Amino acid sequence: MKIGILSRNRKLYSTRRLVEAAELRGHEVRVIDALKCYMNITANEPNVYYQKSEGTVEALRFDAVIPRIGASITAYGCAVLRQFEVANVYSINESIAITRSRDKLRAHQLLARKGIGQPVTSYAHSAKATNAIIESVGGAPLIVKLTQSTQGNGVLLAETKKAAEALINAFHGIGSDFLVQEFIKEAGGSDIRCFVVGGKVIAAMQRKAAKGEYRSNLHRGGTAEVIRLTPAERSLALNAAKVMGLDLAGVDILRSSHGPLVIEVNSSPGLEGIETATGIDVAGKIIEYIEKDSKLGPNKPVGKG
Ligand code: ADP
Ligand code: MG
């Protein structure tokens, strides 16, 4: 097959591994920077064009694309991906599903509609609602989370009610979009990353936050090890990926005193942490799935919203 990987950086571990795994299985692979693509939107011959370094332009032809769209270019990256979809090219994740997953509020709402367990989460526009939203998540300590946060950067712990009010008011003041969330203290700075491919959890790891840190992101010095999922955790992860309409997803779960809770569904989960922690050939499994699934034709968008 001709496979295109939409990634801005061919040197990233995940990109390199996907290239390697695809070549190993006899495919022709190219890494494409979405920002160098452009498109003409016509019904007749929809195409994605690529500007090559020597200045020439070519129409891209792929049998399948693997989107690895960074959070900083979600809008344009998804527009390019959508154009591939217009041209009937298979993508392991559809643009609509990626867009859903990038907005934490939208994602929580979609998951809530299907009864998926999550930490109690509140959202308000008016600064007058500050007290009410603090109360609604059970008071401090609580988490204030930017809706576009990645790598734990926009996730803040307010230990007291005063700190929570100050944070919420500051975020209102600068016009940021954020959620207020129940703090799952008993998770103890750990979370579980379930790597879902095509309706199966193919690998799972537990991430532990560095000392004195409540965020377990590996980018923040967290460490990872293999973990056995309970049946409830496995089915929660699969349901969450399904509700979001993602064939490839990293579903993050917290172990709370009232059962497993989904905090995030990631549409471009990194491969380095999970392959290193589990020794599983995740890249190979992704390519293998694409070989099978793309035979069924281009993906059909799943769900609403
Ligand atoms: P990001 O997209 O920035 O990674 P997450 O929602 O995944 O944001 O949060 C980052 C980390 O912070 C999580 O992996 C988890 O360790 C911790 N965390 C997030 N939400 C909560 C919560 N409600 N209670 C306890 N810890 C949390
Ligand atoms: Mg996360």
Side-chain angles (χ1 to χ4, degrees), residues 114-179:
K114 297 289 179 189
I116 305 249
Q118 319 170 54
V120 179
T121 304
S122 286
Y123 179 73
H125 178 71
S126 163
K128 289 194 184 118
T130 300
N131 255 318
I133 54 175
I134 290 176
E135 292 308 316
S136 70
V137 302
L142 54 76
I143 293 279
V144 180
K145 201 179 278 192
L146 294 177
T147 55
Q148 315 277 356
S149 171
T150 57
Q151 304 182 350
N153 283 323
V155 177
L156 299 148
L157 173 64
E159 309 222 29
T160 63
K161 181 161 187 228
K162 265 204 143 39
E165 281 170 359
L167 257 182
I168 293 170
N169 289 336
F171 276 155
H172 271 311
I174 54 173
S176 322
D177 218 17
F178 61 93
L179 307 170

Side-chain angles (χ1 to χ4, degrees), residues 67 69 78 81 93-102 246 267:
I69 296 166
C78 282
L81 182 57
N93 280 337
E94 291 268 326
S95 57
I96 177 84
I98 297 173
T99 312
R100 281 175 193 139
S101 75
R102 286 290 157 85
L246 291 166
S267 54

Side-chain angles (χ1 to χ4, degrees), residues 284-305:
K285 288 185 185 286
I286 293 172
I287 302 297
E288 199 182 328
Y289 175 71
I290 290 173
E291 288 165 2
K292 275 189 274 168
D293 196 46
S294 63
K295 285 211 182 81
L296 308 174
N299 271 346
K300 292 277 172 296
V302 176
K304 298 176 190 166

Side-chain angles (χ1 to χ4, degrees), residues 104 145 149-152 155 191 193 207 216-217 252 263-266:
K104 290 181 196 288
K145 201 179 278 192
S149 171
T150 57
Q151 304 182 350
V155 177
D191 75 355
R193 160 62 57 95
R207 298 179 296 197
S216 54
N217 303 67
D252 295 345
I263 47 166
E264 189 181 21
V265 185
N266 205 306

Side-chain angles (χ1 to χ4, degrees), residues 4-285:
I5 301 176
L6 290 183
S7 164
R8 294 215 62 205
N9 186 351
R10 60 179 64 247
K11 294 196 183 113
L12 290 178
Y13 178 94
S14 303
T15 312
R16 276 193 287 117
R17 283 285 298 127
L18 287 165
V19 169
E20 196 175 274
E23 284 177 346
L24 206 68
R25 299 178 69 91
H27 302 296
E28 196 182 305
V29 203
R30 276 180 67 186
V31 178
I32 296 293
D33 178 356
L35 294 188
K36 291 191 184 145
C37 293
Y38 66 93
M39 52 216 134
N40 57 352
I41 293 117
T42 61
N44 283 340
E45 215 191 314
N47 265 325
V48 175
Y49 295 98
Y50 193 59
Q51 211 147 10
K52 296 208 276 195
S53 44
E54 65 271 18
T56 53
V57 168
E58 68 168 309
L60 293 172
R61 308 258 180 255
F62 293 122
D63 302 309
V65 294
I66 306 176
R68 303 286 312 178
I69 296 166
S72 60
I73 63 151
T74 300
Y76 195 76
C78 282
V80 171
L81 182 57
R82 207 151 47 233
Q83 185 68 9
F84 279 114
E85 291 160 11
V86 173
N88 264 317
V89 178
Y90 170 90
S91 169
I92 183 162
N93 280 337
E94 291 268 326
S95 57
I96 177 84
I98 297 173
T99 312
R100 281 175 193 139
S101 75
R102 286 290 157 85
D103 177 338
K104 290 181 196 288
L105 173 64
R106 183 174 175 185
H108 279 301
Q109 287 177 312
L110 290 167
L111 295 172
R113 196 158 70 182
K114 297 289 179 189
I116 305 249
Q118 319 170 54
V120 179
T121 304
S122 286
Y123 179 73
H125 178 71
S126 163
K128 289 194 184 118
T130 300
N131 255 318
I133 54 175
I134 290 176
E135 292 308 316
S136 70
V137 302
L142 54 76
I143 293 279
V144 180
K145 201 179 278 192
L146 294 177
T147 55
Q148 315 277 356
S149 171
T150 57
Q151 304 182 350
N153 283 323
V155 177
L156 299 148
L157 173 64
E159 309 222 29
T160 63
K161 181 161 187 228
K162 265 204 143 39
E165 281 170 359
L167 257 182
I168 293 170
N169 289 336
F171 276 155
H172 271 311
I174 54 173
S176 322
D177 218 17
F178 61 93
L179 307 170
V180 174
Q181 197 166 70
E182 167 194 14
F183 176 52
I184 309 299
K185 192 165 181 245
E186 61 274 25
S190 289
D191 75 355
I192 298 172
R193 160 62 57 95
C194 304
F195 208 104
V196 178
V197 177
K200 288 200 183 97
V201 178
I202 61 152
M205 64 178 168
Q206 181 169 47
R207 298 179 296 197
K208 286 200 174 99
K211 210 164 180 284
E213 173 62 72
Y214 52 94
R215 294 162 293 190
S216 54
N217 303 67
L218 301 181
H219 286 101
R220 309 204 72 83
T223 50
E225 54 189 61
V226 195
I227 191 171
R228 265 190 92 82
L229 299 178
T230 65
E233 288 161 354
R234 186 176 299 272
S235 73
L236 184 69
L238 294 179
N239 280 337
K242 189 170 166 205
V243 170
M244 301 299 291
L246 291 166
D247 275 8
L248 164 61
V251 182
D252 295 345
I253 290 177
L254 294 180
R255 283 185 168 164
S256 84
S257 53
H258 43 290
L261 304 172
V262 172
I263 47 166
E264 189 181 21
V265 185
N266 205 306
S267 54
S268 286
L271 299 191
E272 186 165 14
I274 194 88
E275 287 197 334
T276 310
T278 64
I280 294 172
D281 175 15
V282 172
K285 288 185 185 286

